[in-house]
Amino acid sequence: MIKFSISCIFCVFLFNLPIKANDCKFGLIKLNIVEDTIYSIILEDYEKCFPKYVFNFPEVKRLLIKDSFYEEVPPEISLMSDLKELRIVGCLELNYNNLFDNLKKNNLIKLSLELNNLTTIPKNISELKTIEYVSFCNNFIEDVPKELLELNDLRILHLISNNILRFETFPNRSYSIEHLSLAQNNLKTLPQGIENLKNLKRLNLSDNPELELEDIIDFIDDFVELEMLFINGCKPPKGIPKNIEILKKVKYISGHDIFSIDELKKLREMGINISIPKTDW
């Protein structure tokens, strides 16, 4: 793998691509080359005008747009027919409604919109039918719309560091989400509607210091698929909760910091092993 940066002018010379006058001043474009193929493009610290010449690389698999002042991603992004992963970080001026409309032909697998001061998730995200992984970390989102949750292929949803209060879900409806992260959301109670995400296998509730362990345990009682639970940084209980034995069915639990050493020993004797995670997610 070779990674390098080239100036806009050098990029045109190397690939013999035309640049229009309205393409603005670009600074640097970073190309990640894998087996003589441009695998990913990074655009960062650019002017307001999006450099459309990147659409001349339809084989690109990943596109990162970072700390830019674009107001929109042009509809020509649909020309990037092999694009599987799009990450946008720190782009506060971008029109995200238009973005999802322009992406509906791309067959994206992964979408990350982080540090963009988003307060809502646009409902036309339902156009992205092939999405399997979505991250809206470090925004100001409160409600998760049904249009996102009802995407059939969505398996992984990261909502770390938001203000999540509610999921628009319905009882007796099957949802595909298996991995959900709600770490660092200042949760005092579990968000409304989360109880209907019955297929959860991995749930991260860590670093919500006001969230009661008893409430978490009551919540997971009906979740037969749950295998991993992250509760480190939640509110320490006053002693071992009466409903703690429910946790026996969870294979991996991270939450050693909310129990004393004596409590951890007693939990192990009960068949509940609170693990220390090597990595968080």
Side-chain angles (χ1 to χ4, degrees):
M1 181 182 297
I2 303 172
K3 194 170 184 179
F4 59 91
S5 298
I6 53 179
S7 71
C8 153
I9 296 175
F10 183 53
C11 178
V12 178
F13 174 78
L14 182 61
F15 295 102
N16 194 26
L17 299 174
I19 278 193
K20 297 180 180 179
N22 63 0
D23 274 349
C24 307
K25 297 178 180 179
F26 308 119
L28 298 178
I29 177 173
K30 298 179 181 178
L31 305 180
N32 188 346
I33 309 296
V34 179
E35 296 180 354
D36 297 325
T37 299
I38 301 175
Y39 188 75
S40 66
I41 294 179
I42 301 175
L43 307 176
E44 57 184 341
D45 299 325
Y46 278 56
E47 302 294 333
K48 278 194 171 184
C49 187
F50 194 97
K52 290 186 178 181
Y53 67 86
V54 301
F55 301 140
N56 288 299
F57 307 120
E59 72 276 20
V60 167
K61 301 293 190 298
R62 295 176 179 172
L63 176 60
L64 167 62
I65 305 171
K66 181 181 179 183
D67 299 329
S68 296
F69 297 98
Y70 307 138
E71 294 181 0
E72 69 173 359
V73 175
E76 287 90 344
I77 195 171
S78 63
L79 300 175
M80 302 175 80
S81 56
D82 289 341
L83 188 65
K84 298 302 179 187
E85 180 178 346
L86 175 62
R87 186 180 180 204
I88 300 178
V89 181
C91 296
L92 308 183
E93 306 297 325
L94 200 62
N95 184 320
Y96 289 93
N97 282 295
N98 287 350
L99 173 68
F100 294 152
D101 286 338
N102 294 337
L103 287 171
K104 57 187 176 183
K105 295 181 180 179
N106 289 81
N107 296 318
L108 279 180
I109 301 298
K110 296 182 69 173
L111 174 68
S112 299
L113 304 180
E114 302 167 351
L115 287 166
N116 296 305
N117 284 356
L118 291 172
T119 57
T120 60
I121 299 174
K123 293 184 177 181
N124 62 347
I125 197 171
S126 61
E127 300 284 351
L128 310 184
K129 304 294 185 183
T130 56
I131 285 288
E132 298 178 9
Y133 172 108
V134 170
S135 173
F136 283 99
C137 296
N138 294 290
N139 285 291
F140 300 96
I141 295 165
E142 294 186 356
D143 292 346
V144 182
K146 66 182 188 309
E147 286 79 5
L148 171 62
L149 299 173
E150 293 176 1
L151 288 168
N152 291 331
D153 292 333
L154 183 61
R155 297 288 182 272
I156 300 174
L157 178 57
H158 289 300
L159 296 166
I160 299 170
S161 190
N162 276 279
N163 301 314
I164 301 299
L165 298 174
R166 186 170 70 104
F167 289 78
E168 291 185 5
T169 60
F170 303 95
N172 304 317
R173 180 174 295 187
S174 179
Y175 295 94
S176 60
I177 296 174
E178 297 176 354
H179 296 183
L180 174 63
S181 183
L182 291 170
Q184 302 172 32
N185 265 267
N186 295 317
L187 295 174
K188 293 180 174 59
T189 61
L190 289 162
Q192 178 185 343
I194 192 178
E195 69 276 3
N196 295 316
L197 303 178
K198 299 292 187 183
N199 289 317
L200 284 181
K201 294 182 179 179
R202 184 169 179 169
L203 176 62
N204 187 347
L205 297 170
S206 60
D207 299 315
N208 285 290
E210 297 300 317
L211 190 57
E212 301 273 0
L213 179 58
E214 290 88 344
D215 292 343
I216 297 172
I217 296 173
D218 285 340
F219 161 76
I220 68 171
D221 190 20
D222 295 330
F223 282 71
V224 296
E225 301 291 333
L226 193 65
E227 298 176 354
M228 303 183 75
L229 177 64
F230 294 77
I231 52 175
N232 44 294
C234 290
K235 189 173 184 177
K238 296 178 180 178
I240 295 178
K242 294 180 180 180
N243 56 355
I244 195 74
E245 290 203 1
I246 292 171
L247 293 182
K248 284 184 178 180
K249 67 179 183 178
V250 183
K251 296 178 182 177
Y252 181 94
I253 305 169
S254 169
H256 66 284
D257 59 330
I258 66 174
F259 294 101
S260 68
I261 293 176
D262 289 339
E263 288 170 339
L264 288 172
K265 289 179 180 177
K266 187 172 182 179
L267 289 172
R268 289 191 178 96
E269 291 172 358
M270 297 170 62
I272 302 170
N273 189 7
I274 309 293
S275 303
I276 300 175
K278 293 181 181 179
T279 58
D280 213 346
W281 56 282

